[in-house]
Coordinates of all heavy atoms in Angstrom, one line a residue:
M1 N 1.7 -13.7 7.6 CA 1.8 -13.2 6.3 C 3.2 -12.4 6.3 O 3.5 -11.8 7.2 CB 0.7 -12.2 5.9 CG 0.9 -11.5 4.6 SD -0.1 -10.1 4.4 CE -1.8 -10.9 4.2
K2 N 3.9 -12.6 5.2 CA 5.2 -11.9 5.1 C 5.1 -10.7 4.1 O 4.6 -11.0 3.0 CB 6.3 -12.9 4.7 CG 7.7 -12.5 4.7 CD 8.6 -13.6 4.5 CE 9.9 -13.3 4.3 NZ 11.0 -14.3 4.3
I3 N 5.5 -9.6 4.5 CA 5.5 -8.5 3.6 C 7.0 -8.1 3.4 O 7.6 -7.8 4.5 CB 4.8 -7.2 4.1 CG1 3.3 -7.7 4.4 CG2 4.8 -6.1 3.2 CD1 2.5 -6.6 4.9
T4 N 7.5 -8.1 2.2 CA 8.9 -7.7 2.0 C 9.1 -6.4 1.2 O 8.4 -6.3 0.2 CB 9.6 -8.9 1.1 OG1 9.3 -10.1 1.8 CG2 11.1 -8.7 1.1
I5 N 9.7 -5.5 1.8 CA 9.9 -4.2 1.1 C 11.3 -4.1 0.5 O 12.3 -4.5 1.2 CB 9.7 -3.1 2.2 CG1 8.3 -3.3 2.9 CG2 9.8 -1.8 1.5 CD1 8.4 -3.9 4.3
C6 N 11.3 -3.6 -0.7 CA 12.7 -3.6 -1.4 C 13.4 -2.3 -0.8 O 12.8 -1.3 -0.7 CB 12.5 -3.4 -2.8 SG 14.1 -3.1 -3.7
I7 N 14.7 -2.5 -0.5 CA 15.4 -1.4 0.0 C 16.6 -1.2 -1.0 O 17.7 -0.6 -0.6 CB 16.0 -1.6 1.5 CG1 16.7 -3.0 1.7 CG2 14.8 -1.6 2.5 CD1 17.5 -3.0 2.9
G8 N 16.5 -1.6 -2.1 CA 17.5 -1.4 -3.2 C 17.5 0.1 -3.5 O 16.7 0.9 -3.0
S9 N 18.5 0.7 -4.4 CA 18.7 2.0 -4.5 C 17.5 2.8 -5.1 O 17.0 3.8 -4.7 CB 20.0 2.3 -5.2 OG 20.1 1.6 -6.3
S10 N 16.8 2.2 -6.3 CA 15.8 2.9 -6.8 C 14.5 3.0 -5.8 O 14.0 4.1 -5.8 CB 15.2 2.1 -8.1 OG 16.3 1.9 -9.0
C11 N 14.3 1.9 -5.2 CA 13.2 2.0 -4.2 C 13.5 2.9 -3.0 O 12.6 3.6 -2.6 CB 12.8 0.6 -3.7 SG 12.2 -0.5 -5.1
H12 N 14.7 2.9 -2.6 CA 15.2 3.8 -1.5 C 14.9 5.3 -2.0 O 14.3 6.0 -1.2 CB 16.6 3.5 -1.3 CG 17.1 4.4 -0.1 ND1 16.9 4.2 1.1 CD2 17.9 5.6 -0.2 CE1 17.4 5.3 1.9 NE2 18.0 6.1 1.0
L13 N 15.3 5.5 -3.2 CA 15.1 6.9 -3.6 C 13.6 7.3 -3.7 O 13.3 8.5 -3.6 CB 15.7 7.1 -5.1 CG 17.3 7.2 -5.1 CD1 17.7 7.2 -6.5 CD2 17.7 8.4 -4.3
K14 N 12.8 6.4 -4.0 CA 11.3 6.7 -4.1 C 10.7 6.6 -2.8 O 9.4 6.7 -2.6 CB 10.7 5.7 -5.0 CG 11.1 5.8 -6.5 CD 10.1 6.7 -7.3 CE 10.4 6.7 -8.8 NZ 9.8 5.6 -9.5
G15 N 11.4 6.3 -1.7 CA 10.8 6.4 -0.4 C 10.5 5.1 0.4 O 9.6 5.0 1.2
S16 N 11.4 4.1 0.1 CA 11.1 2.8 0.7 C 11.1 2.9 2.2 O 10.4 2.3 3.0 CB 12.0 1.7 0.3 OG 13.3 2.0 0.4
R17 N 12.1 3.8 2.7 CA 12.1 4.0 4.2 C 10.8 4.5 4.8 O 10.4 3.9 5.8 CB 13.2 4.9 4.5 CG 13.6 4.8 6.0 CD 14.6 5.7 6.5 NE 15.8 5.6 5.7 CZ 16.9 6.4 5.9 NH1 16.9 7.3 6.8 NH2 18.0 6.2 5.2
Q18 N 10.2 5.4 4.1 CA 8.9 5.9 4.7 C 7.8 4.8 4.5 O 7.0 4.8 5.4 CB 8.5 7.1 3.9 CG 9.2 8.3 4.2 CD 10.1 8.6 3.0 OE1 11.1 7.8 2.7 NE2 10.1 9.8 2.3
V19 N 7.9 4.0 3.5 CA 6.9 3.0 3.3 C 7.1 2.0 4.4 O 6.1 1.5 5.1 CB 7.1 2.2 2.0 CG1 6.3 1.0 1.9 CG2 6.7 3.2 0.8
I20 N 8.3 1.6 4.8 CA 8.5 0.7 5.9 C 8.1 1.3 7.2 O 7.4 0.6 8.0 CB 10.1 0.4 6.0 CG1 10.5 -0.4 4.8 CG2 10.4 -0.5 7.3 CD1 12.0 -0.7 4.7
E21 N 8.4 2.6 7.5 CA 7.9 3.2 8.7 C 6.4 3.1 8.8 O 5.8 2.8 9.9 CB 8.4 4.6 8.9 CG 9.9 4.7 9.0 CD 10.5 4.1 10.2 OE1 9.7 4.0 11.2 OE2 11.5 3.4 10.2
Q22 N 5.8 3.5 7.7 CA 4.3 3.4 7.8 C 3.8 2.1 7.9 O 2.8 1.8 8.7 CB 3.8 3.9 6.4 CG 4.0 5.4 6.3 CD 3.1 6.1 5.2 OE1 1.9 5.7 5.0 NE2 3.7 6.9 4.4
L23 N 4.3 1.1 7.3 CA 3.8 -0.3 7.4 C 4.0 -0.7 9.0 O 3.1 -1.3 9.5 CB 4.5 -1.3 6.5 CG 4.1 -1.1 5.0 CD1 5.0 -2.0 4.2 CD2 2.7 -1.5 4.8
K24 N 5.2 -0.3 9.5 CA 5.4 -0.7 10.9 C 4.4 -0.1 11.8 O 3.8 -0.8 12.7 CB 6.8 -0.1 11.4 CG 7.9 -1.1 11.1 CD 9.1 -0.5 12.0 CE 10.4 -1.2 11.3 NZ 11.6 -0.3 11.6
S25 N 4.0 1.2 11.6 CA 3.0 1.7 12.5 C 1.7 1.2 12.2 O 0.8 1.1 13.1 CB 3.1 3.3 12.5 OG 3.5 3.8 11.3
L26 N 1.3 0.9 11.0 CA 0.0 0.3 10.7 C 0.0 -1.0 11.3 O -1.2 -1.4 11.9 CB -0.1 0.1 9.2 CG -0.5 1.5 8.5 CD1 -0.1 1.4 6.9 CD2 -1.9 1.8 8.8
V27 N 0.9 -1.8 11.3 CA 1.1 -3.1 12.0 C 0.8 -2.9 13.4 O -0.1 -3.7 14.1 CB 2.3 -3.9 11.7 CG1 2.4 -5.1 12.7 CG2 2.5 -4.4 10.3
D28 N 1.4 -2.0 14.0 CA 1.1 -1.7 15.5 C -0.3 -1.2 15.7 O -1.1 -1.6 16.7 CB 2.1 -0.6 16.1 CG 3.5 -1.2 16.2 OD1 3.6 -2.5 16.0 OD2 4.5 -0.4 16.3
E29 N -0.7 -0.3 14.9 CA -2.1 0.3 15.0 C -3.2 -0.7 15.0 O -4.1 -0.7 15.8 CB -2.3 1.3 13.9 CG -3.6 2.1 13.9 CD -3.7 3.0 12.8 OE1 -2.6 3.6 12.4 OE2 -4.8 3.3 12.3
Y30 N -3.0 -1.8 14.1 CA -4.0 -2.8 13.9 C -3.6 -4.0 14.8 O -4.3 -5.0 14.7 CB -4.2 -3.2 12.5 CG -5.0 -2.2 11.7 CD1 -4.4 -1.1 11.0 CD2 -6.4 -2.2 11.6 CE1 -5.1 -0.2 10.3 CE2 -7.0 -1.3 10.9 CZ -6.4 -0.2 10.3 OH -7.2 0.7 9.6
D31 N -2.6 -3.9 15.6 CA -2.2 -4.9 16.5 C -2.0 -6.3 15.8 O -2.5 -7.3 16.2 CB -3.3 -5.1 17.5 CG -2.7 -5.3 18.9 OD1 -1.5 -5.3 19.0 OD2 -3.5 -5.4 19.9
L32 N -1.2 -6.2 14.7 CA -1.1 -7.4 13.8 C 0.4 -8.0 13.8 O 0.8 -8.7 13.0 CB -1.4 -7.1 12.5 CG -2.8 -6.8 12.2 CD1 -3.0 -6.1 10.7 CD2 -3.7 -8.1 12.3
Q33 N 1.1 -7.6 15.0 CA 2.4 -8.1 15.0 C 2.5 -9.6 14.9 O 3.6 -10.1 14.4 CB 3.1 -7.6 16.4 CG 3.2 -6.1 16.6 CD 1.9 -5.7 17.3 OE1 0.9 -6.3 17.3 NE2 1.9 -4.4 17.7
V34 N 1.6 -10.4 15.3 CA 1.7 -11.8 15.4 C 1.4 -12.4 13.9 O 1.9 -13.4 13.6 CB 0.6 -12.4 16.3 CG1 0.7 -13.9 16.3 CG2 0.8 -11.9 17.7
K35 N 0.6 -11.6 13.2 CA 0.2 -12.1 11.9 C 1.0 -11.6 10.7 O 1.1 -12.2 9.7 CB -1.2 -11.6 11.6 CG -2.2 -12.3 12.5 CD -3.6 -12.3 11.8 CE -4.5 -13.1 12.7 NZ -5.9 -12.7 12.6
I36 N 1.7 -10.5 10.9 CA 2.5 -9.9 9.8 C 4.0 -9.7 10.2 O 4.3 -9.2 11.2 CB 1.9 -8.4 9.5 CG1 0.5 -8.6 8.9 CG2 2.8 -7.8 8.4 CD1 -0.1 -7.3 8.5
E37 N 4.7 -10.3 9.2 CA 6.3 -10.2 9.4 C 6.7 -9.2 8.4 O 6.5 -9.4 7.2 CB 6.8 -11.6 9.2 CG 8.3 -11.6 9.4 CD 8.9 -13.0 8.9 OE1 8.2 -13.8 8.5 OE2 10.2 -13.0 8.9
L38 N 7.5 -8.2 8.7 CA 8.0 -7.2 7.8 C 9.4 -7.4 7.6 O 10.2 -7.7 8.5 CB 7.8 -5.8 8.2 CG 6.4 -5.3 8.5 CD1 6.5 -3.8 9.1 CD2 5.6 -5.2 7.2
C39 N 9.8 -7.6 6.2 CA 11.3 -7.9 6.0 C 11.8 -6.9 4.9 O 11.0 -6.3 4.1 CB 11.4 -9.2 5.4 SG 10.5 -10.5 6.1
G40 N 12.9 -6.8 4.9 CA 13.6 -5.9 3.8 C 14.4 -6.9 2.8 O 14.7 -7.9 3.2
A41 N 14.5 -6.4 1.6 CA 15.1 -7.2 0.6 C 15.9 -6.2 -0.4 O 15.4 -5.1 -0.5 CB 14.2 -8.0 -0.2
F42 N 16.9 -6.7 -1.1 CA 17.6 -6.0 -2.0 C 16.7 -6.0 -3.3 O 15.8 -6.6 -3.4 CB 19.0 -6.3 -2.1 CG 19.7 -5.9 -0.9 CD1 20.2 -6.9 0.1 CD2 19.9 -4.5 -0.6 CE1 20.8 -6.5 1.2 CE2 20.5 -4.2 0.5 CZ 21.0 -5.1 1.5
C43 N 17.3 -5.3 -4.3 CA 16.6 -5.1 -5.6 C 15.8 -6.3 -6.0 O 16.3 -7.5 -6.0 CB 17.6 -4.6 -6.6 SG 16.8 -4.4 -8.3
M44 N 14.6 -6.1 -6.4 CA 13.7 -7.2 -6.9 C 13.6 -7.4 -8.4 O 12.8 -8.0 -9.0 CB 12.3 -7.1 -6.3 CG 12.2 -7.2 -4.8 SD 10.5 -6.9 -4.2 CE 10.8 -7.1 -2.4
G45 N 14.4 -6.5 -9.0 CA 14.5 -6.4 -10.5 C 13.3 -5.8 -11.1 O 13.0 -6.0 -12.3
E46 N 12.6 -5.0 -10.4 CA 11.4 -4.3 -10.9 C 11.5 -2.9 -10.5 O 10.5 -2.2 -10.1 CB 10.0 -4.9 -10.2 CG 9.9 -6.3 -10.6 CD 8.9 -6.3 -11.8 OE1 8.6 -5.5 -12.4 OE2 8.7 -7.6 -12.1
C47 N 12.8 -2.3 -10.7 CA 13.0 -1.0 -10.3 C 12.0 0.1 -10.8 O 11.8 1.1 -10.1 CB 14.4 -0.5 -10.6 SG 15.6 -1.6 -10.0
L48 N 11.5 -0.1 -12.0 CA 10.6 0.9 -12.6 C 9.3 1.0 -11.7 O 8.7 2.1 -11.9 CB 10.2 0.6 -14.0 CG 11.4 0.7 -15.1 CD1 11.0 0.3 -16.3 CD2 11.8 2.2 -15.0
R49 N 9.1 0.0 -10.9 CA 7.8 0.1 -10.2 C 8.1 0.4 -8.8 O 7.2 0.3 -7.9 CB 7.2 -1.4 -10.3 CG 6.7 -1.8 -11.7 CD 6.3 -3.2 -11.7 NE 5.1 -3.4 -10.9 CZ 4.7 -4.6 -10.5 NH1 5.4 -5.6 -10.8 NH2 3.6 -4.6 -9.8
A50 N 9.1 1.0 -8.4 CA 9.6 1.3 -7.1 C 8.5 2.2 -6.5 O 8.0 3.1 -7.1 CB 10.9 2.1 -7.1
V51 N 8.2 2.0 -5.2 CA 8.7 1.2 -4.2 C 8.1 -0.3 -4.3 O 6.9 -0.3 -4.3 CB 8.5 1.7 -2.8 CG1 9.0 0.7 -1.7 CG2 9.1 3.0 -2.6
C52 N 8.9 -1.2 -4.5 CA 8.4 -2.6 -4.6 C 8.1 -3.3 -3.3 O 9.0 -3.3 -2.4 CB 9.3 -3.5 -5.5 SG 9.3 -2.9 -7.2
V53 N 7.0 -3.9 -3.1 CA 6.6 -4.6 -1.9 C 6.0 -5.9 -2.3 O 5.1 -5.9 -3.1 CB 5.6 -3.7 -1.1 CG1 5.0 -4.5 0.0 CG2 6.1 -2.4 -0.7
K54 N 6.6 -6.9 -1.7 CA 6.1 -8.2 -2.2 C 5.2 -8.9 -1.0 O 5.6 -8.9 0.1 CB 7.3 -9.2 -2.3 CG 6.9 -10.4 -3.2 CD 8.2 -11.3 -3.2 CE 9.1 -11.2 -4.3 NZ 10.2 -12.3 -4.2
V55 N 4.1 -9.3 -1.4 CA 3.2 -10.0 -0.5 C 2.8 -11.3 -1.1 O 2.3 -11.3 -2.2 CB 1.9 -9.2 -0.3 CG1 1.0 -9.8 0.8 CG2 2.2 -7.7 0.1
D56 N 3.0 -12.4 -0.4 CA 2.7 -13.8 -0.9 C 3.2 -13.8 -2.5 O 2.5 -14.3 -3.3 CB 1.3 -13.9 -0.9 CG 0.8 -14.0 0.5 OD1 1.5 -14.3 1.4 OD2 -0.4 -13.9 0.7
D57 N 4.5 -13.6 -2.6 CA 5.0 -13.7 -4.0 C 4.5 -12.9 -5.1 O 4.8 -13.0 -6.2 CB 4.9 -15.2 -4.5 CG 6.0 -16.1 -3.8 OD1 6.9 -15.5 -3.4 OD2 5.7 -17.3 -3.6
K58 N 3.6 -12.0 -4.7 CA 3.1 -10.9 -5.8 C 3.8 -9.6 -5.4 O 3.9 -9.2 -4.2 CB 1.6 -10.8 -5.6 CG 1.0 -10.2 -6.8 CD -0.5 -10.4 -7.0 CE -0.9 -9.6 -8.2 NZ -2.1 -8.9 -8.1
I59 N 4.3 -8.9 -6.5 CA 4.9 -7.6 -6.2 C 4.0 -6.4 -6.5 O 3.3 -6.5 -7.5 CB 6.2 -7.4 -7.1 CG1 7.3 -8.5 -6.7 CG2 6.8 -6.1 -7.1 CD1 8.6 -8.4 -7.5
Y60 N 3.8 -5.6 -5.6 CA 3.0 -4.4 -5.7 C 3.9 -3.1 -5.7 O 5.1 -3.3 -5.2 CB 2.1 -4.2 -4.5 CG 1.1 -5.4 -4.3 CD1 1.4 -6.6 -3.7 CD2 -0.1 -5.4 -5.0 CE1 0.6 -7.6 -3.5 CE2 -1.0 -6.4 -4.9 CZ -0.8 -7.5 -4.2 OH -1.5 -8.6 -4.1
S61 N 3.4 -2.2 -6.4 CA 4.2 -1.0 -6.4 C 3.5 0.1 -5.5 O 2.4 0.5 -5.7 CB 4.0 -0.5 -7.9 OG 4.6 0.9 -8.0
L62 N 4.3 0.5 -4.5 CA 3.7 1.5 -3.5 C 4.4 2.8 -3.5 O 5.5 2.8 -4.0 CB 3.8 1.0 -2.1 CG 3.2 -0.4 -1.7 CD1 3.0 -0.4 -0.2 CD2 1.7 -0.4 -2.3
K63 N 3.8 3.8 -2.9 CA 4.4 5.1 -2.6 C 4.1 5.3 -1.1 O 3.1 4.9 -0.7 CB 3.7 6.2 -3.5 CG 3.8 6.0 -5.0 CD 3.2 7.4 -5.5 CE 3.2 7.2 -7.0 NZ 1.8 7.1 -7.5
P64 N 4.9 6.2 -0.6 CA 4.6 6.6 0.8 C 3.1 7.1 1.0 O 2.4 6.7 1.9 CB 5.6 7.7 1.2 CG 6.7 7.4 0.3 CD 6.2 6.8 -1.0
E65 N 2.6 7.8 -0.1 CA 1.3 8.4 0.1 C 0.2 7.4 0.0 O -0.9 7.6 0.4 CB 1.0 9.4 -1.1 CG 2.0 10.4 -1.4 CD 3.1 9.9 -2.3 OE1 3.0 10.0 -3.6 OE2 4.1 9.6 -1.7
N66 N 0.4 6.2 -0.7 CA -0.8 5.3 -0.8 C -0.5 4.1 0.1 O -1.2 3.0 -0.1 CB -1.0 4.9 -2.2 CG 0.2 4.2 -2.9 OD1 1.0 3.7 -2.2 ND2 0.1 4.0 -4.2
T67 N 0.5 4.0 1.0 CA 0.8 2.9 1.7 C -0.4 2.5 2.6 O -0.7 1.4 2.8 CB 2.1 3.1 2.6 OG1 3.1 3.3 1.7 CG2 2.4 1.9 3.5
R68 N -1.0 3.6 3.3 CA -2.0 3.3 4.2 C -3.2 2.6 3.4 O -3.9 1.7 3.9 CB -2.5 4.6 4.9 CG -3.8 4.3 5.8 CD -4.0 5.6 6.6 NE -3.3 5.6 7.8 CZ -3.5 5.1 9.0 NH1 -4.6 4.3 9.1 NH2 -2.7 5.2 10.0
S69 N -3.6 3.2 2.4 CA -4.8 2.7 1.6 C -4.5 1.3 1.1 O -5.3 0.4 1.2 CB -5.3 3.6 0.6 OG -4.4 3.7 -0.5
F70 N -3.3 1.1 0.6 CA -2.9 -0.3 0.2 C -3.1 -1.2 1.4 O -3.6 -2.3 1.3 CB -1.4 -0.4 -0.3 CG -0.9 -1.6 -0.4 CD1 -1.2 -2.4 -1.7 CD2 -0.1 -2.3 0.5 CE1 -0.6 -3.6 -1.9 CE2 0.4 -3.6 0.2 CZ 0.1 -4.3 -1.0
F71 N -2.5 -0.8 2.6 CA -2.6 -1.8 3.7 C -4.0 -2.0 4.1 O -4.4 -3.2 4.3 CB -1.8 -1.0 4.9 CG -1.7 -1.9 6.1 CD1 -0.6 -2.7 6.3 CD2 -2.6 -2.0 7.1 CE1 -0.5 -3.5 7.4 CE2 -2.5 -2.7 8.2 CZ -1.4 -3.5 8.3
E72 N -4.8 -1.0 4.1 CA -6.1 -1.1 4.5 C -7.1 -1.9 3.6 O -7.9 -2.7 3.9 CB -6.8 0.2 4.9 CG -6.2 0.8 6.2 CD -6.6 2.1 6.6 OE1 -7.1 2.9 5.7 OE2 -6.4 2.5 7.8
K73 N -6.8 -1.8 2.3 CA -7.5 -2.4 1.3 C -7.0 -3.8 1.0 O -7.8 -4.8 1.0 CB -7.6 -1.7 0.0 CG -8.4 -0.4 0.0 CD -8.6 0.2 -1.4 CE -9.2 1.5 -1.3 NZ -8.4 2.5 -1.9
K74 N -5.8 -3.9 0.8 CA -5.2 -5.2 0.4 C -4.9 -6.2 1.4 O -5.3 -7.3 1.6 CB -3.9 -5.1 -0.5 CG -4.2 -4.6 -1.8 CD -4.4 -5.7 -2.8 CE -4.6 -5.1 -4.2 NZ -5.6 -5.9 -5.0
I75 N -4.2 -5.7 2.4 CA -3.5 -6.5 3.4 C -4.6 -7.0 4.5 O -4.7 -8.2 4.7 CB -2.4 -5.7 4.3 CG1 -1.3 -5.3 3.3 CG2 -1.8 -6.6 5.3 CD1 -0.6 -6.4 2.6
L76 N -5.5 -6.0 4.9 CA -6.5 -6.3 5.8 C -7.5 -7.3 5.2 O -8.0 -8.2 5.8 CB -7.2 -5.0 6.4 CG -6.3 -4.1 7.3 CD1 -7.2 -3.0 7.8 CD2 -5.7 -4.8 8.3
A77 N -7.8 -7.1 3.9 CA -8.7 -8.0 3.2 C -8.0 -9.4 3.1 O -8.8 -10.3 3.3 CB -9.0 -7.4 1.8
K78 N -6.8 -9.5 2.8 CA -6.1 -10.8 2.7 C -6.2 -11.5 4.0 O -6.3 -12.7 4.1 CB -4.7 -10.5 2.3 CG -4.5 -10.7 0.8 CD -3.0 -10.5 0.5 CE -2.6 -10.6 -0.9 NZ -2.7 -11.9 -1.5
L79 N -6.0 -10.8 5.1 CA -5.9 -11.5 6.4 C -7.3 -12.0 6.7 O -7.4 -13.0 7.5 CB -5.5 -10.4 7.5 CG -4.1 -10.1 7.4 CD1 -3.7 -9.0 8.5 CD2 -3.2 -11.2 7.7
R80 N -8.3 -11.4 6.1 CA -9.7 -11.8 6.4 C -10.1 -13.1 5.6 O -11.0 -13.7 6.0 CB -10.7 -10.7 6.2 CG -10.9 -9.8 7.4 CD -12.0 -8.8 7.0 NE -11.5 -7.4 7.4 CZ -11.4 -6.5 6.5 NH1 -11.8 -6.6 5.3 NH2 -10.9 -5.4 6.8
D81 N -9.4 -13.3 4.5 CA -9.7 -14.5 3.6 C -9.7 -15.7 4.3 O -8.8 -16.0 5.1 CB -8.7 -14.4 2.5 CG -9.1 -13.4 1.4 OD1 -10.1 -12.8 1.5 OD2 -8.3 -13.2 0.5
Ligands
FES101 S1 15.7 -1.2 -6.2 FE1 13.7 -2.0 -5.7 S2 13.2 -3.3 -7.4 FE2 15.2 -2.6 -7.9

């Protein structure tokens, strides 16, 4: 699974760096390095929804505070599908 995090300026201001750091440690914590690829991308054209994170062509709006629950609810569930 590929997770792409926007590092454009709006998303950067809303904390994309913290979102990336958290996703990285969650991937390590759950030992999912083989299954999850984290990438950065420039502006996805959805700046109002910053921080934008794309998973399987769907854009989600994350904050550093809800990154863990997003990962645990959405990502882990998707991997189980
Ligand atoms: S800067 Fe992230 S969508 Fe525009």
Side-chain angles (χ1 to χ4, degrees):
M1 177 193 290
K2 188 167 169 176
I3 302 180
T4 309
I5 303 100
C6 177
I7 51 168
S9 48
S10 302
C11 292
H12 178 77
L13 287 174
K14 295 261 187 91
S16 61
R17 191 181 309 172
Q18 289 100 299
V19 171
I20 294 174
E21 289 306 320
Q22 289 196 38
L23 288 173
K24 271 193 200 152
S25 33
L26 285 158
V27 167
D28 289 343
E29 183 180 325
Y30 284 91
D31 225 358
L32 292 168
Q33 299 88 343
V34 180
K35 294 202 170 153
I36 295 182
E37 184 192 356
L38 295 177
C39 317
F42 291 109
C43 184
M44 297 177 179
E46 296 269 2
C47 305
L48 289 176
R49 298 172 64 200
V51 177
C52 289
V53 172
K54 199 193 265 181
V55 183
D56 293 342
D57 284 333
K58 195 163 177 224
I59 294 183
Y60 296 90
S61 170
L62 295 198
K63 294 188 191 112
E65 310 84 88
N66 65 12
T67 299
R68 173 173 285 272
S69 67
F70 170 83
F71 187 90
E72 289 173 342
K73 287 195 193 116
K74 286 271 182 217
I75 304 295
L76 295 182
K78 263 181 184 290
L79 287 174
R80 270 186 235 116
D81 281 350

